[in-house]
Amino acid sequence: MSFPSLTIDPFDEEFLSDPFAYHDELREAGAVVWLKKYDCYAMARFAEVQAALKDWQTYISGRGVGLADFAREEPWRPASLLLETDPPLHDRTRGLMNKVASLASLRALMPVWRTKADALVAEVILKGEIDAVEALAEAFPLRVFPELIGLREEGLEHLIPYGTTAFNGFGPRNRILEQSMADAQEAIAWVAESCKRENLKSGGWGMQVYESADRGDCSPEEAERLVRSFLTAGVDTTVNGIANLIHAFAENREEWAKLRADPSLAKRAIEESLRWGGVVQTFFRTTSRDVATDGGMIPEGSKVLLFLAAANRDPRKWEDPDRFDISRNAGGHVGFGFGIHQCLGQMVARLEAEAVLCALLAQVTEIHATGTPQRRLNNTLYALAELPVSLTPAG
Ligand code: OVP
C-alpha cells in the first residue's frame, strides 16, 4: 500500500459533529489517502475532488455513491436512475429531468415564493426568540416544495425523515443509519405511494415527469423512480442549506451588516454559504479501471470517498477558507458537485434561499444567536437540529 493510511472514521460521531476539524488532516496526509476502517480511498483536496467528479468514465456512479458497492450488495432501495447511474442511461434520464426542472418554470414562481417568504418571516418575527431550523429552514421548503412537485397534502411530515434516511444510507451501516432506518419505515412507504401518478397533481413537476414518459422519453416505471429523486434530494438538503445560511449570519454579524448595507451581495452571500457550510459533506464513486496517480495505483472496483466540504475549504484553492465572507467570489465551489451529476435542483435551492434571505433583509435588522446550535448527526449531511436565534424587527 503506497498511499498514506489513516485510521480516522469519517462516519463516527466525533467526526460528524465537527468534520471541519478533521479535514486538514485528510488534505495534509496526501492527494489520495487510504481509509483503513472502510477499505476505501479518499480525496479531500479541491483539485483532486473536482478532477474525480469530472472524470465520470473512471469514477463511476452506477455502483452506488455511498459506501455500499452495488456490484457486491443489493442497495437498500432500488437505485436512483439519476444519482446512481452512468451514461448512457444517466444522460437520458437527466435530459428529461432537466426539461422538467427548468429555470423558466421557476422564474414564474419566484414572486410567489418571495411573497410566501415575506409572510413567513412576518409571522416568525413576532415570536422574538425562535428556533430558526423549525421556524424558517424547515417551514419554508415545506410551504413551497410539495406544491412545486404537486404532492398530496396528507403526510408531508414524512419528507424530511425520508431525506434524512436516504442521506444516512450513503454511509456505513452504523448506529446513525440503523436508527434512522428504524424511524423511517412509515416515511419510506409514504414516499413510495406519493411517487405514483394517481397521487400527483396536474401541473407539478411530478406529473410532468409522467407526461415526459407519455411522449416516450422513459417508461412509466422509470417516471415513478425519477419522481422519487425529487422527493429524496429536494428537502433535507434545502432545509439544511437555509439553516446553514442563517447560522452563517448569526455567527458572523458583521457580514449581516455588510449585506444590509449592500443587498446586491445577496446572491454572492448564498454562494459563499454553500461553499462554507458543507451541507452535503461527501459522496463516493467507484473506479471503473486501475487508476495511476502520483501516489500509487488505485485498483479497479475501489470505492473512493470524495470530501466535497473539505475541497470547499482547501487553502490551496481558497484564501482564508474557514472565513464566511460574502464579498468573496465563491463561484466554482463543489457544494453542488461538478460535472455530469452536478445538482439538478440547484436553482430550486438557490431560489428558496434567496426568497428567505430577501424576506429577512426586508424585515430584520439583526440576527443573533441566543443559544448553542445543536447538530443532528447524519452520515452525509452536515445538519442542524436546532438554531436558537433572535431576530430584531426593522422599523
Ligand atoms: C444530492 C441526491 C441525493 C439523494 C437521492 C437522490 C439524489 C436520488 O436521485 O434519489 S442528489
Side-chain angles (χ1 to χ4, degrees):
M1 180 62 56
S2 48
F3 295 105
S5 176
L6 300 176
T7 54
I8 209 167
D9 175 359
F11 301 102
D12 74 16
E13 303 199 353
E14 227 180 271
F15 190 106
L16 295 174
S17 306
D18 188 7
F20 298 104
Y22 294 91
H23 288 168
D24 259 333
E25 195 180 330
L26 286 160
R27 281 185 304 251
E28 287 305 311
V32 181
V33 302
W34 171 251
L35 298 180
K36 213 165 179 288
K37 166 125 189 178
Y38 296 109
D39 280 355
C40 74
Y41 297 85
M43 301 176 183
R45 296 181 187 171
F46 185 89
E48 280 76 16
V49 167
Q50 189 196 43
L53 291 169
K54 183 174 168 181
D55 185 0
W56 56 266
Q57 292 101 327
T58 303
Y59 296 92
I60 65 171
S61 294
R63 286 167 72 167
V65 297
L67 179 62
D69 180 358
F70 294 177
R72 298 165 201 242
E73 54 179 302
E74 281 286 298
W76 69 276
R77 58 172 200 165
S80 164
L81 296 173
L82 285 168
L83 182 73
E84 295 157 334
T85 60
D86 301 302
L89 173 58
H90 170 268
D91 294 352
R92 177 166 63 82
T93 53
R94 177 68 188 235
L96 82 86
M97 291 292 273
N98 277 344
K99 281 180 213 151
V100 173
S102 73
L103 192 55
S105 67
L106 281 171
R107 279 237 171 77
L109 279 172
M110 198 52 192
V112 181
W113 288 12
R114 292 286 293 270
T115 306
K116 287 192 176 189
D118 285 337
L120 177 62
V121 169
E123 276 171 44
V124 160
I125 215 169
L126 300 173
K127 298 179 187 165
E129 199 178 316
I130 57 155
D131 168 17
V133 171
E134 196 185 1
L136 293 169
E138 296 185 344
F140 186 70
L142 288 174
R143 285 186 188 194
V144 297
F145 188 76
E147 194 175 88
L148 177 70
I149 306 303
L151 297 177
R152 56 202 169 135
E153 266 102 75
E154 202 62 42
L156 294 173
E157 72 279 5
H158 293 306
L159 280 169
I160 294 173
Y162 183 82
T164 296
T165 298
F167 280 95
N168 278 330
F170 298 125
R173 290 190 175 270
N174 54 14
R175 275 178 42 204
I176 298 170
L177 174 57
E178 300 291 355
Q179 187 60 57
S180 82
M181 278 289 179
D183 295 343
Q185 288 310 305
E186 219 187 306
I188 293 169
W190 179 86
V191 163
E193 267 313 293
S194 301
C195 294
K196 293 182 177 167
R197 186 170 196 151
E198 64 266 29
N199 291 320
L200 292 162
K201 295 178 190 170
S202 67
W205 284 7
M207 187 60 84
Q208 286 178 44
V209 177
Y210 280 96
E211 287 161 358
S212 179
D214 294 342
R215 295 191 294 271
D217 298 336
C218 66
S219 71
E221 294 74 25
E222 288 174 326
E224 192 173 320
R225 190 107 52 98
L226 287 169
V227 173
R228 193 193 65 181
S229 284
F230 283 144
L231 274 56
T232 312
V235 186
D236 211 8
T237 47
T238 58
V239 164
N240 282 293
I242 293 166
N244 166 59
L245 177 65
I246 299 168
H247 181 223
F249 281 113
E251 272 199 1
N252 298 276
R253 294 170 70 183
E254 75 294 344
E255 295 303 297
W256 182 251
K258 201 197 272 182
L259 180 60
R260 279 184 43 83
D262 182 5
S264 75
L265 290 171
K267 283 188 165 65
R268 259 181 191 244
I270 289 165
E271 235 39 47
E272 170 67 347
S273 79
L274 289 162
R275 181 197 70 81
W276 178 84
V279 169
V280 176
Q281 285 277 311
T282 51
F283 270 122
F284 286 86
R285 293 291 188 261
T286 314
T287 51
S288 61
R289 58 175 176 87
D290 292 352
V291 189
T293 77
D294 286 345
M297 195 267 285
I298 308 176
E300 181 276 332
S302 302
K303 281 283 170 179
V304 182
L305 180 54
L306 304 178
F307 283 88
L308 308 180
N312 280 340
R313 291 196 188 195
D314 182 353
R316 294 162 190 78
K317 164 77 179 174
W318 311 95
E319 203 183 306
D320 204 358
D322 294 328
R323 198 177 127 64
F324 173 70
D325 175 4
I326 68 168
S327 312
R328 138 179 15 241
N329 177 8
H333 69 77
V334 291
F336 286 131
F338 187 78
I340 66 168
H341 289 279
Q342 194 180 47
C343 183
L344 169 71
Q346 59 186 281
M347 288 317 292
V348 178
R350 287 195 181 98
L351 291 178
E352 283 186 19
E354 204 178 316
V356 173
L357 187 58
C358 291
L360 288 170
L361 266 175
Q363 299 180 55
V364 171
T365 57
E366 288 206 64
I367 302 173
H368 73 94
T370 53
T372 313
Q374 303 298 315
R375 291 279 155 192
R376 168 157 69 79
L377 300 191
N378 184 282
N379 283 335
T380 303
L381 300 176
Y382 191 44
L384 280 158
E386 214 180 293
L387 179 62
V389 296
S390 99
L391 306 176
T392 310

